[in-house]
Amino acid sequence: MRLLIVEDDAALARGILKVFRNEGLAVDHVSRGQDALEIVRLEPYSAVILDLGLPDMDGLAVLKQMRAAHVNVPILILTARDATSDRVQGLDQGADDYLSKPFAIQELEARVRALIRRGQGNPEPVMTLGTLKLDRATGATYVAGELLDLTRRERAVLETLMVKVGSVVPKTRLTADVFGYDDPVGPNALEVYIARLRRKLEPSGLEIVTVRGLGYLLRTK
Amino acid sequence: MIFGITQPSLKRRLLLTLFVPLCLILVALSFGGAWLVRRTVEGASDRVLSGSLQAISETLAMQEGYLTLDLPPSALGMLENADRDNVYYSISYRGKVITGYSELPPPGNLRLEDVSFRDSTFHGIPIRVATEARLVPQLDSPVIVQVAETVKNRTAVTHRMLVALAAGELFLLAVIAALVFLAVDWGLRPLLMLRREVDERNNDPDINFAPLPLATVPQEALPFVSAFNSLLGHVETAFQTLRRFTSDASHQLRAPLTVVRTHVELLSRHSDGTDEMKGAIADIHNAVKALQHLIVQLISLAKAERPHSNAEGASAFDLVECTAATARNYATQALARDMEISFEAGPQPLNVSGSAIFAGEMIANLLDNAIRYGHPGGHITVRIPDDSGVLEIEDDGPGIPPQDRERVFERFYRQPHNTDRDGSGLGLSIVQALGRRMGATVRLETPAHGRGLKAVVQFQPL
């Protein structure tokens, strides 16, 4: 897998290069928009990190020309501005994600990983969280290698929580995922499934936290 | 005292320039009037005295070698008046008194066939004397006839007229004073209106740099107001430059900060140095994060305080959804610090006036404060109690003493015991500035359970 970094700040570029080389990716770096436009046609990149403030041309123009030349690689734009209009423009012109400076490198890593997966048309068939594994294709769920006996609805709740791990998922969202429009849903139906899941997840070292009034959150204990 | 003595006053100046000449004119008028009154009274009384004198002297005649006089009653009767003035007369020939009061002083130089008047005294009482030297046939010297009266009546009449004159003048003075006061007030009213206009702007939370309207400004104040308007323009330019500078500088700071942060995070991840070095890197990392927070807050504040159009406040958003979304984002941070967060609101959407982005940023800053200054095990309650547009964010942290609740909205103001936290001191300033843009107000209270802080935001219901 190959990653292209278009960044004119050499010191920052060295940092980002180091991050992704440590992850075992092949990383190229250019500092000018023109160079980026050339190299992106020659090499099959899995993702591009594009800084919007480039010396020779505007990053948004680079983005526009890449998309005009049918370069379909996933692109993450980096900018020192966080005005909403900048973000909207970037996304409108074909960027896949957006990160404003300064950022935590964990965040950058996570976003780039997600972009690469998306580019491969492969939304992670097996999700892993600690000792918990969930195979989206088959629906089989394992804790420490042992198959977990889950009903269809319990698995749906768990899958939604796993996709959004570490953030609060609104109750309405879970309810929509779990119950069809025709299902008669009592007000406490979701709580029943959450309670059962909690019991079954006990040995996994994971917990489902209730955030009163806001939803549920899955995290490692 | 009506006027402050040291401060120049237009009213005082106008009154002084009007009153001093006015008083001088009135004084001159008093003297002239008094002189005129005396002359008039004297002239009128003297004519009567002269009539009486001539009625007597007409009857002087020589009969058979004797000088005769027929004193008509009307001659002295015409001098009678309400003031009971005494009347005296004397007839003398060659210096000898023939009849009448010998105490009447003899006259000085006399011209023949002419009535002359003089002031004198009779037993110490002031009198007015009329004298005529009349030639009688067969006599070689003129006969001197004198008639005198005390001056009680003249004095009383003069006195009455002077009193009337003084009363008239005082009345005039009072009327003019009142008119001057009214005229000055009325004349200065446009200045008062200008002051009100400027005062109203003072109460406006957003500084209004629009020029003062010139249409109603009086000509005399026009140069001053024009100069003030041009000063307003300069101040606005300077103000905007400063804001732009803050914003630009903050943006420029982000690039080097990103480099620092990236490398520090890489170091902390792959560092195989001593514990001391790891500690130093952790300190740097925290400082960089604090610096980043400060810069983001500075940009946020500059954005919130940027001049805006009225249309912004006119849009609407769902307060319940906006609050829930923001609270969900911050729930992770709260949980990471072992704090609990809960949201209480009705199931229905609640549309209020403003922008969801701004409101989200307000709520984010309030939640950030509650989490930053709260303690592990603490509880944060986010509440929309009814449909009046009120949002409450309540914590059980250290709180803010009531006397500091105004000051914490000032930029960079931080409570003394909080300086070791990595807050920017800008959060509440941002909350307030964003609130103003949407017509929302923020106040700080003590929660019902007596501990911590309750921030109450009042949005404008639709």
Side-chain angles (χ1 to χ4, degrees), chain A residues 4 24 50 60-61 91 133 165 180 192 216:
Chain A
L4 176 66
L50 172 65
L60 284 176
L91 297 179
K133 270 189 171 53
V165 64
V192 173
Y216 298 97

Side-chain angles (χ1 to χ4, degrees), chain B residues 52 70-80:
Chain B
S52 168
D70 179 17
L71 193 65
S74 67
L76 297 178
M78 71 174 76
L79 292 176
E80 275 176 17

Side-chain angles (χ1 to χ4, degrees), chain A residues 10-28:
Chain A
L12 179 60
R14 273 199 297 278
I16 299 176
L17 278 171
K18 215 185 270 177
V19 171
F20 290 103
R21 279 185 183 149
N22 284 336
E23 289 219 333
L25 290 178
V27 195
D28 295 327

Side-chain angles (χ1 to χ4, degrees), chain A residues 104-221:
Chain A
I105 53 178
Q106 274 180 322
E107 178 93 21
L108 182 65
E109 283 175 313
R111 303 251 188 147
V112 170
R113 266 202 305 268
L115 276 189
I116 291 175
R117 275 203 304 274
R118 214 184 299 170
Q120 292 167 338
N122 177 10
E124 210 173 13
V126 180
M127 288 190 292
T128 308
L129 187 63
T131 58
L132 178 71
K133 270 189 171 53
L134 192 151
D135 187 333
R136 282 173 139 173
T138 64
T141 310
Y142 305 89
V143 169
E146 296 230 352
L147 189 66
L148 206 59
D149 180 24
L150 294 180
T151 65
R152 184 173 58 82
R153 283 180 175 161
E154 286 164 3
R155 197 176 59 244
V157 171
L158 182 60
E159 190 176 331
T160 305
L161 286 174
M162 274 186 89
V163 168
K164 292 256 166 196
V165 64
S167 51
V168 181
V169 184
K171 238 168 129 174
T172 47
R173 166 82 193 277
L174 286 171
T175 311
D177 279 357
V178 173
F179 303 104
Y181 285 110
D182 301 331
D183 289 335
V185 183
N188 294 321
L190 186 65
E191 275 84 340
V192 173
Y193 292 103
I194 295 281
R196 284 189 203 156
L197 260 180
R198 276 189 177 135
R199 216 167 37 241
K200 290 179 179 175
L201 283 177
E202 250 166 37
S204 71
L206 294 173
E207 65 174 344
I208 299 172
V209 181
T210 308
V211 184
R212 205 155 61 84
L214 294 173
Y216 298 97
L217 170 140
L218 178 69
R219 67 169 181 185
T220 46
K221 270 183 204 164

